[in-house]
Amino acid sequence: MAVPLPDSIELRRETALMPYRETLDEMTARNAAIQAGDARELLWLLEHPPVYTAGTSAGEGELLDTRFEVFDTGRGGRYTYHGPGQRVGYVLLDLSRRAKDVRGFVHALEGWVIDTLVAFGVESWRAEGRVGIWTRDLDGDEAKIGAIGVRVRRWVTMHGFAVNLSPDLSHFEGIVPCGIAEYGVTSLADLGIEVAPEEWDKALLTQAPAFLAALDPQGLEQGK
């Protein structure tokens, strides 16, 4: 696979399920190494065994059962689910080399996922007051297809996005996803679109130059 990333960014693509705790520990260490100038930036694409993760705004009543292990993550946002069939992208970039604009980074990250979904014929969007990436389910109702959650430490980002390719959607019933109970969750498979992880990764990487271009000060200003 051709990788349209600069040499300053390492790409890691996992084919086996990655334990969440191990991944979080490694991501935290890599974040510190990037801050110190001892490691390259990182785009890490993977899937986890089933887990629930809690962001800094997670509400006590939003965890409905504990069928899976629950992790406090330190990222922004509320509860989310990770599991097989959901492609997670951890994006560790040094914003001090780009625009020091956290909201602009989140906006660009959302745009990256939205533009990638277009490659599979799926229209998606941001929704005012609702975190995540939204589309229409088979009934025509608005539903979440992707989650966004980031943390920025000394201008180096961590965490990122998760997109539902073909997860077991019943697993989301153990939480109030991102604190939003009024809307459901969908996936590409639920929409009748089968996408293998390597197909998703290829489409995502095709859009990577546009995502990175949006992170320079001029690109962020134009995107607002």
Short mmCIF file of all heavy atoms in Angstrom, two decimals, residues 1-5 11 13 43 45 112 116 200-209:
data_model
loop_
_atom_site.label_atom_id
_atom_site.label_comp_id
_atom_site.label_asym_id
_atom_site.label_seq_id
_atom_site.Cartn_x
_atom_site.Cartn_y
_atom_site.Cartn_z
N MET A 1 0.84 -1.20 0.00
CA MET A 1 0.00 0.00 0.00
C MET A 1 0.88 1.25 0.00
O MET A 1 1.76 1.39 0.85
CB MET A 1 -0.90 0.02 1.25
CG MET A 1 -1.79 1.26 1.35
SD MET A 1 -2.61 1.38 2.97
CE MET A 1 -3.57 -0.12 3.00
N ALA A 2 0.66 2.13 -0.99
CA ALA A 2 1.36 3.40 -0.98
C ALA A 2 0.90 4.23 0.22
O ALA A 2 -0.29 4.28 0.52
CB ALA A 2 1.09 4.16 -2.28
N VAL A 3 1.84 4.85 0.88
CA VAL A 3 1.52 5.59 2.10
C VAL A 3 1.81 7.07 1.87
O VAL A 3 2.97 7.48 1.87
CB VAL A 3 2.34 5.07 3.30
CG1 VAL A 3 1.98 5.85 4.55
CG2 VAL A 3 2.10 3.59 3.50
N PRO A 4 0.78 7.89 1.65
CA PRO A 4 1.00 9.32 1.40
C PRO A 4 1.19 10.11 2.68
O PRO A 4 0.49 11.08 2.97
CB PRO A 4 -0.27 9.74 0.67
CG PRO A 4 -1.33 8.84 1.23
CD PRO A 4 -0.63 7.52 1.54
N LEU A 5 2.15 9.68 3.50
CA LEU A 5 2.46 10.37 4.75
C LEU A 5 3.90 10.87 4.68
O LEU A 5 4.77 10.19 4.11
CB LEU A 5 2.32 9.44 5.96
CG LEU A 5 0.93 8.95 6.33
CD1 LEU A 5 1.01 7.95 7.47
CD2 LEU A 5 0.02 10.10 6.71
N LEU A 11 3.53 5.17 10.34
CA LEU A 11 2.25 4.47 10.19
C LEU A 11 2.38 3.08 10.79
O LEU A 11 3.29 2.33 10.44
CB LEU A 11 1.86 4.36 8.72
CG LEU A 11 0.64 3.48 8.42
CD1 LEU A 11 -0.63 4.10 8.99
CD2 LEU A 11 0.50 3.25 6.93
N ARG A 13 -0.13 -0.32 11.36
CA ARG A 13 -1.42 -0.95 11.07
C ARG A 13 -1.41 -2.34 11.69
O ARG A 13 -0.58 -3.17 11.35
CB ARG A 13 -1.66 -1.04 9.56
CG ARG A 13 -1.72 0.30 8.87
CD ARG A 13 -1.82 0.16 7.35
NE ARG A 13 -3.04 -0.56 6.99
CZ ARG A 13 -3.05 -1.75 6.39
NH1 ARG A 13 -1.90 -2.38 6.11
NH2 ARG A 13 -4.19 -2.33 6.08
N LEU A 43 0.53 7.61 13.32
CA LEU A 43 -0.84 7.24 12.99
C LEU A 43 -0.93 5.74 13.21
O LEU A 43 -0.24 4.96 12.54
CB LEU A 43 -1.17 7.60 11.55
CG LEU A 43 -2.50 7.06 11.02
CD1 LEU A 43 -3.68 7.58 11.83
CD2 LEU A 43 -2.67 7.40 9.54
N LEU A 45 -3.45 2.48 13.40
CA LEU A 45 -4.75 1.96 13.00
C LEU A 45 -4.90 0.54 13.53
O LEU A 45 -4.05 -0.32 13.26
CB LEU A 45 -4.89 1.99 11.48
CG LEU A 45 -4.70 3.36 10.82
CD1 LEU A 45 -4.73 3.23 9.30
CD2 LEU A 45 -5.76 4.34 11.30
N TRP A 112 -11.67 14.44 8.07
CA TRP A 112 -10.92 13.30 7.52
C TRP A 112 -11.82 12.05 7.46
O TRP A 112 -11.85 11.35 6.44
CB TRP A 112 -9.70 13.05 8.39
CG TRP A 112 -8.67 12.12 7.82
CD1 TRP A 112 -8.60 11.64 6.54
CD2 TRP A 112 -7.55 11.57 8.52
NE1 TRP A 112 -7.50 10.84 6.38
CE2 TRP A 112 -6.84 10.78 7.59
CE3 TRP A 112 -7.09 11.69 9.81
CZ2 TRP A 112 -5.68 10.09 7.94
CZ3 TRP A 112 -5.93 11.01 10.16
CH2 TRP A 112 -5.23 10.22 9.24
N THR A 116 -13.43 10.26 4.07
CA THR A 116 -13.15 8.84 3.81
C THR A 116 -14.43 8.06 3.59
O THR A 116 -14.50 7.18 2.71
CB THR A 116 -12.34 8.24 4.97
OG1 THR A 116 -11.14 8.99 5.16
CG2 THR A 116 -11.98 6.80 4.70
N TRP A 200 -10.59 0.14 4.34
CA TRP A 200 -10.79 1.40 5.07
C TRP A 200 -9.47 2.15 5.21
O TRP A 200 -9.40 3.35 4.96
CB TRP A 200 -11.40 1.13 6.45
CG TRP A 200 -11.40 2.36 7.28
CD1 TRP A 200 -10.50 2.72 8.24
CD2 TRP A 200 -12.33 3.45 7.19
NE1 TRP A 200 -10.80 3.95 8.76
CE2 TRP A 200 -11.92 4.43 8.13
CE3 TRP A 200 -13.46 3.68 6.42
CZ2 TRP A 200 -12.60 5.62 8.31
CZ3 TRP A 200 -14.15 4.88 6.59
CH2 TRP A 200 -13.73 5.84 7.52
N ASP A 201 -8.42 1.44 5.60
CA ASP A 201 -7.12 2.08 5.79
C ASP A 201 -6.64 2.73 4.49
O ASP A 201 -6.11 3.85 4.51
CB ASP A 201 -6.09 1.06 6.26
CG ASP A 201 -6.37 0.51 7.65
OD1 ASP A 201 -7.30 1.00 8.31
OD2 ASP A 201 -5.66 -0.43 8.06
N LYS A 202 -6.80 2.04 3.39
CA LYS A 202 -6.36 2.58 2.10
C LYS A 202 -7.09 3.87 1.77
O LYS A 202 -6.48 4.86 1.35
CB LYS A 202 -6.57 1.55 0.99
CG LYS A 202 -6.11 2.01 -0.38
CD LYS A 202 -6.31 0.93 -1.43
CE LYS A 202 -5.85 1.41 -2.80
NZ LYS A 202 -6.04 0.35 -3.84
N ALA A 203 -8.41 3.87 1.95
CA ALA A 203 -9.19 5.08 1.67
C ALA A 203 -8.83 6.21 2.62
O ALA A 203 -8.74 7.38 2.22
CB ALA A 203 -10.68 4.76 1.76
N LEU A 204 -8.60 5.87 3.90
CA LEU A 204 -8.23 6.87 4.89
C LEU A 204 -6.89 7.52 4.53
O LEU A 204 -6.74 8.75 4.57
CB LEU A 204 -8.14 6.22 6.27
CG LEU A 204 -7.83 7.15 7.44
CD1 LEU A 204 -9.08 7.93 7.85
CD2 LEU A 204 -7.30 6.35 8.64
N LEU A 205 -5.92 6.70 4.15
CA LEU A 205 -4.60 7.22 3.82
C LEU A 205 -4.63 8.07 2.55
O LEU A 205 -3.85 9.02 2.41
CB LEU A 205 -3.61 6.07 3.67
CG LEU A 205 -3.26 5.37 4.99
CD1 LEU A 205 -2.50 4.07 4.73
CD2 LEU A 205 -2.43 6.28 5.88
N THR A 206 -5.53 7.75 1.64
CA THR A 206 -5.68 8.57 0.44
C THR A 206 -6.07 9.99 0.81
O THR A 206 -5.67 10.96 0.14
CB THR A 206 -6.74 7.96 -0.49
OG1 THR A 206 -6.29 6.66 -0.91
CG2 THR A 206 -6.97 8.82 -1.73
N GLN A 207 -6.84 10.15 1.88
CA GLN A 207 -7.30 11.46 2.33
C GLN A 207 -6.32 12.13 3.31
O GLN A 207 -6.54 13.27 3.72
CB GLN A 207 -8.67 11.34 3.01
CG GLN A 207 -9.77 10.83 2.11
CD GLN A 207 -10.06 11.78 0.96
OE1 GLN A 207 -9.90 12.99 1.09
NE2 GLN A 207 -10.50 11.24 -0.17
N ALA A 208 -5.25 11.43 3.68
CA ALA A 208 -4.33 11.96 4.69
C ALA A 208 -3.67 13.28 4.29
O ALA A 208 -3.55 14.18 5.13
CB ALA A 208 -3.27 10.91 5.04
N PRO A 209 -3.22 13.46 3.04
CA PRO A 209 -2.60 14.75 2.70
C PRO A 209 -3.55 15.93 2.91
O PRO A 209 -3.12 16.99 3.38
CB PRO A 209 -2.23 14.57 1.22
CG PRO A 209 -2.04 13.10 1.05
CD PRO A 209 -3.09 12.48 1.93
#
